[in-house]
Structure formats: structure tokens, C-alpha cells
């Protein structure tokens, strides 16, 4: 069974002190005892300190393991600091001109260092309006994974690799996709994975929805069996909102586990 995953993407917000306070408050409101960013970072097993299922992720990683790349952070440098990483976020594609090919290399570097990776894909508004959303996302998945070994991406437990479908027009706009549309795109993503020879036809790969997720709309996405959670931006900076999103996704996780 695929895990339910809720990831908060704080982007370039918070100071270290603010981040600790925010994590503590979200932790308290989701009844995760004693969770702080610092505790999570300091724990020997940062994937699940205190068995909480909470982990810390980085927002990007360099595609080389080491080298003369001033200002860049490699996957091995994140050892002990993070167990997850986002690659291919649309803000990186836009601001750092990241291509699918480069993002694919970051993915390989992240997985080689044992990081669990969330690969972001998603179409622009003009693409959706022109009926090209499916083709764009299919092309992004293929372009990012063309050079990857599907078996190496998932890792031994098959849990190393997650895809976030994030339509660019929904990010930070307050305009979210419809649940049914996100589910359809998850289907397109898994079809692309299947054609790339992913085991189980991509059925083992969690697909998250991202783009203006809030406590008021998370149920619409979690009601879709093809959607396994959310990548949350703005709302993850608001403790009550994030706690409510986690709680609601937790209900789905429990229901799926019981089914
Ligand atoms: P948003 O951001 O929830 O603020 O739309 C999502 C993201 O950028 O991952």
C-alpha cells in the first residue's frame, strides 16, 4: 500500500528560530509530542524521530556529489540534516532555468545519497487551456527520468521516490485544481512511469497534489484513490491550517489502511 504523505514547503521563509517555533506549534497542534525542527535534525534517525513519522527535507540539491560549485549544496552534504528533498519545483524551473534533464540528474544524485525525493511536475495555465496538460506532464516525467534506473529510484523498500503534481497556475494563487483533474493527471503520471518500465506500472509510486492546498480543499484530493497526499506551500506556514491538513489526511490514511 502506498503511504499517505503531507509535505510542507516553507520555501524562503522563516529564520531558524521561526522555523523551530513553527514546527513546534504544528507538532503540538497535530499532537506530535516534542517535535521541533532542531529535534528532528539532531535525531539519529531523522526519518522518524520518536516514531512520529516526521522528517525534514531540503528544497533542492545539486546534481553532482562534490566539486567546485560555490554556493551549491550536494546530496551527501545533507547527510544528518535531511532525509527528503524536493527536486524540479516550478519555482526552480522558472528562477534557475532548471531543465528536465538537469532535474533528472538531481534525482539520481539524491537517490544515490539515500535521500527520499519528491519530483515536481505540472503544466502552465496556457498548456491547460490549450488541452496540453497531459502531454506536458507526460513529457516532464519522461524527460526527468529518461536517464534513471527505475529500480534504483525506488530503493529497497520502494519508498524512495514520490511525484508531486503541481499545476503551475495553482501554486500560490489560491486557485486549486479540481480533485478529479488531479486524479486524472496522477493517472497520466503513472502511465508514463509504466512505459518507463517502473515496476507495478507506477502503482507503487505515491503521487501528491500541490497548488493552493488548504484545510478547506484537502478532502477533495484525499477522496481520490490516485492521490496519496499533498505538497503544501503557503498553508504550511500557518500552524492551524497545516495541522488541519495533516489531521484530515490522517483520516484518509487510517481509512485506507483499514480497507
Ligand atoms: P502553495 O505552494 O501551496 O502555496 O500553492 C505549493 C508549492 O509551491 O509546492
Amino acid at each position: 500500500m502506498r503511504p499517505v504523505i503531507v509535505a510542507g514547503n516553507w520555501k524562503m521563509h522563516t529564520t531558524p528560530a521561526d522555523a523551530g517555533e513553527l514546527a513546534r506549534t504544528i507538532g503540538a497542534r497535530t499532537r506530535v509530542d516534542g517535535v521541533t525542527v532542531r529535534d528532528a535534525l539532531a535525531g539519529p534517525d531523522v526519518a522518524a524521530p520518536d516514531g512520529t513519522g516526521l522528517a525534514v527535507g531540503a528544497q533542492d540539491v545539486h546534481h553532482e556529489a562534490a566539486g567546485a560549485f560555490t554556493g551549491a549544496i550536494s546530496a551527501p552534504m545533507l547527510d544528518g540534516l535531511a532525509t527528503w528533498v524536493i527536486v524540479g519545483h516550478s519555482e526552480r524551473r522558472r528562477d534557475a532555468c532548471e531543465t528536465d534533464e538537469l532535474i533528472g540528474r538531481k534525482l539520481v544524485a539524491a537517490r544515490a545519497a539515500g535521500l527520499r525525493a519528491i519530483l515536481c511536475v505540472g503544466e502552465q495555465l496556457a498548456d491547460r487551456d490549450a488541452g496540453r496538460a497531459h502531454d506536458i506532464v507526460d513529457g516532464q516525467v519522461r524527460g526527468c527520468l529518461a536517464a534513471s534506473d527505475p529500480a534504483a529510484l525506488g530503493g529497497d523498500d520502494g519508498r524512495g521516490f514520490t511525484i508531486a503534481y503541481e499545476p503551475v497556475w495553482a501554486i500560490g494563487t489560491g486557485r486549486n485544481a479540481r480533485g478529479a483533474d488531479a486524479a486524472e493527471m496522477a493517472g497520466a503520471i503513472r502511465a508514463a512511469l509504466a512505459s518507463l518500465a517502473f515496476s507495478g506500472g507506477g502503482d507503487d509510486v505515491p503521487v501528491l497534489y500541490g497548488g493552493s492546498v488548504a484545510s478547506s480543499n484537502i478532502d477533495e484530493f484525499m477522496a481520490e484513490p490516485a492521490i496519496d497526499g499533498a505538497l503544501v506551500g503557503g498553508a504550511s506556514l500557518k500552524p492551524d491550517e497545516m495541522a488541519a491538513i495533516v489531521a484530515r489526511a490522517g483520516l484518509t490514511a487510517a481509512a485506507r489502511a483499514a480497507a
Side-chain angles (χ1 to χ4, degrees), residues 40-41 44-48 54-58 78-85 110-111 114-117 160:
L41 292 174
D45 176 5
V46 295
L54 181 98
V56 174
L78 292 169
D79 186 27
L81 297 173
T83 53
W84 288 74
V85 67
R111 293 298 299 132
L115 293 167
R116 295 176 70 175

Side-chain angles (χ1 to χ4, degrees), residues 33-100:
D33 289 339
V35 170
T36 68
V37 167
R38 189 177 157 71
D39 289 346
L41 292 174
D45 176 5
V46 295
D50 310 319
T52 57
L54 181 98
V56 174
Q59 298 174 8
D60 184 36
V61 73
H62 197 269
H63 60 278
E64 294 286 354
F69 301 104
T70 301
I73 306 289
S74 74
M77 287 166 81
L78 292 169
D79 186 27
L81 297 173
T83 53
W84 288 74
V85 67
I86 297 172
V87 297
H89 192 280
S90 67
E91 286 154 13
R92 301 288 312 166
R93 293 176 188 259
R94 179 195 68 200
D95 299 338
C97 303
E98 292 191 1
T99 62
D100 289 336

Side-chain angles (χ1 to χ4, degrees), residues 9 11 89-91 166 170-174 210-213 231-235:
N9 178 7
K11 310 190 179 186
H89 192 280
S90 67
E91 286 154 13
E166 297 206 301
I171 295 177
T173 59
S212 296
V213 170
L231 178 52
V232 187

Side-chain angles (χ1 to χ4, degrees), residues 21-45:
E21 183 59 28
L22 183 55
R24 234 183 335 271
T25 309
I26 292 171
R29 291 183 196 176
T30 47
R31 294 196 208 87
V32 180
D33 289 339
V35 170
T36 68
V37 167
R38 189 177 157 71
D39 289 346
L41 292 174
D45 176 5

Side-chain angles (χ1 to χ4, degrees), residues 137-187:
V137 167
D138 177 80
Q140 288 173 337
V141 172
R142 289 171 193 280
C144 291
L145 302 184
S148 300
D149 169 9
L153 276 190
D156 289 341
D157 60 1
R159 295 195 161 199
F161 177 51
T162 295
I163 294 189
Y165 167 59
E166 297 206 301
V168 178
W169 47 270
I171 295 177
T173 59
R175 180 184 169 193
N176 57 285
R178 296 265 65 84
D181 290 337
E184 190 189 325
M185 297 304 287

